[in-house]
């Protein structure tokens, strides 16, 4: 097997975009991030892009946009183990990574041996969901609209609240993240006398688009706001001609998983995020 690295997202996509796009749901993260970097190189600084090649060509990608976790595309377990050794040699500051549950275990197991790690702890389990058709769900009071200038007054606080509750291992939101979300035009909010739930479209890989994050403040929960918002956004995506929508859920939150299933989302597989303990780091 051969290990390759790329200096930028454009050269990465030139070599392996078609291979990744053959499985757009499973490979939505490397595809979506690389394409967004081509459009806006300032979105992430110093991306790390690498891949495994064999006699028949491209076999899988490993990538990181520090300080976010290392992530894997789909690949065989043998390729994942090879990639884990080579990534750890290339980037010995590796401490956490996520991907499909079996592949990420093979990747980090090999990386841990290379780095002399003493522990590999599970930080989060996630479900990968796909939707091809939207079910009818009850419509609560209020209506959906896109984010607009002025929404940053509450959205920045919601971004921090979502991170603290749902993804505490992720970096804190940037000070201008709400403004950037509004400028992208991908965010939507449910209004019932004021903002009561928020969601946004994320990784766009053409045939599929992801939905998330999704957040409802505690005082507005249990009224169906987020359910209606995600359902309406999913219908919008299908009406644009997409094959479907995707999202990731926290497996420790069965309530949200049931909500998405009522809308029409079905789980395809399980993702895992692990953290390594490396002496002296």
């Amino acid at each position: 097997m051969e290990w390759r690295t790329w200096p930028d997202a454009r050269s990465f996509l030139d070599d392996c975009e078609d291979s990744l796009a053959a499985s757009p749901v499973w490979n939505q993260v490397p595809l979506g991030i690389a394409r967004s970097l081509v459009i806006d190189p300032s979105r992430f600084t110093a991306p790390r892009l690498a891949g495994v090649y064999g006699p028949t060509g491209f076999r899988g990608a490993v990538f990181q946009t520090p300080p976010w976790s290392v992530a894997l595309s789909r690949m065989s377990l043998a390729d994942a183990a090879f990639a884990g050794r080579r990534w750890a040699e290339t980037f010995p500051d590796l401490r956490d990574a996520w991907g499909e549950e079996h592949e990420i275990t093979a990747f980090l197991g090999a990386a841990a041996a290379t780095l002399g790690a003493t522990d590999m702890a599970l930080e989060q389990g996630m479900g990968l969901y796909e939707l091809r058709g939207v079910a009818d769900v009850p419509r609560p009071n209020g209506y959906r609209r896109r984010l607009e200038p002025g929404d940053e007054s509450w959205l920045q606080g919601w971004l921090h609240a979502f991170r603290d509750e749902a993804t505490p291992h992720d970096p804190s939101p940037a000070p201008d993240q709400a403004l950037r979300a509004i400028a992208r035009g991908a965010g939507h909010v449910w209004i019932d006398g004021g903002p009561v739930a928020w969601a946004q479209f994320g990784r766009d890989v053409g045939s599929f688009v992801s939905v998330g994050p999704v957040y409802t403040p505690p005082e507005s929960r249990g009224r169906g706001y987020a359910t209606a918002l995600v359902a309406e956004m999913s219908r919008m995506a299908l009406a644009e001609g997409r094959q479907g929508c995707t999202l990731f859920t926290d497996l420790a939150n069965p309530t949200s998983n049931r909500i998405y299933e009522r809308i029409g989302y079905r789980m395809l597989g399980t993702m895992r995020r692990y953290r390594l303990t490396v002496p002296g780091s």
Side-chain angles (χ1 to χ4, degrees):
M1 284 182 279
E2 178 188 351
W3 179 248
R4 294 187 189 177
T5 60
W6 291 270
D8 54 58
R10 181 67 274 165
S11 58
F12 170 78
L13 289 174
D14 286 344
D15 280 355
C16 56
E17 184 171 20
D18 289 345
S19 297
L20 291 170
S23 184
V25 173
W26 281 100
N27 293 327
Q28 61 182 286
V29 178
L31 276 173
I33 288 177
R35 288 174 176 175
S36 70
L37 279 167
V38 170
I39 296 169
D40 179 10
S42 69
R43 187 173 179 187
F44 301 106
T45 58
R48 298 170 169 180
L49 305 163
V52 180
Y53 277 75
T56 59
F58 176 80
R59 298 170 67 97
V62 190
F63 56 98
Q64 183 185 22
T65 51
W68 297 88
S69 302
V70 175
L72 271 64
S73 74
R74 291 307 306 268
M75 63 182 74
S76 72
L77 298 186
D79 291 337
F82 172 79
R85 290 190 295 272
R86 294 307 310 271
W87 185 276
E89 293 167 357
T90 309
F91 305 110
D93 59 352
L94 169 66
R95 295 298 177 268
D96 63 308
W98 74 277
E100 190 277 334
E101 59 179 327
H102 303 296
E103 294 159 16
I104 199 62
T105 301
F107 174 86
L108 280 177
T114 302
L115 296 171
T118 57
D119 185 54
M120 188 172 82
L122 176 65
E123 286 191 328
Q124 188 179 31
M126 292 167 279
L128 170 59
Y129 279 73
E130 176 189 86
L131 171 142
R132 299 278 186 141
V134 183
D136 290 331
V137 296
R139 184 181 179 87
N141 293 332
Y143 61 94
R144 176 203 57 80
R145 68 161 170 81
R146 289 185 185 273
L147 292 177
E148 57 189 34
D151 286 335
E152 66 273 10
S153 61
W154 55 265
L155 180 57
Q156 188 70 20
W158 286 25
L159 288 166
H160 281 275
F162 173 83
R163 182 264 183 190
D164 292 345
E165 179 179 343
T167 60
H169 306 296
D170 285 348
S172 294
D176 65 343
Q177 189 162 332
L179 288 170
R180 291 171 70 100
I182 294 168
R184 284 181 58 219
H188 297 255
V189 58
W190 196 269
I191 300 293
D192 184 11
V196 292
W198 156 75
Q200 68 181 41
F201 290 116
R203 294 164 298 277
D204 188 342
V205 295
S207 54
F208 288 85
V209 64
S210 69
V211 178
V214 180
Y215 181 72
T216 305
E219 65 272 15
S220 298
R221 293 175 184 174
R223 304 178 193 178
Y225 294 132
T227 302
L229 179 58
V230 172
E232 193 163 322
M233 291 172 64
S234 301
R235 286 194 187 93
M236 290 172 57
L238 295 179
E240 292 172 352
R242 299 180 190 276
Q243 294 181 34
C245 300
T246 67
L247 54 79
F248 291 104
T249 69
D250 184 353
L251 294 178
N253 188 344
T255 299
S256 67
N257 295 336
R258 286 194 295 269
I259 287 171
Y260 296 131
E261 289 168 357
R262 285 201 295 270
I263 296 170
Y265 284 86
R266 299 291 178 262
M267 190 165 75
L268 298 183
T270 304
M271 317 293 282
R272 295 280 189 266
R273 184 206 307 264
Y274 290 94
R275 176 165 292 278
L276 297 178
T277 299
V278 179
S281 64

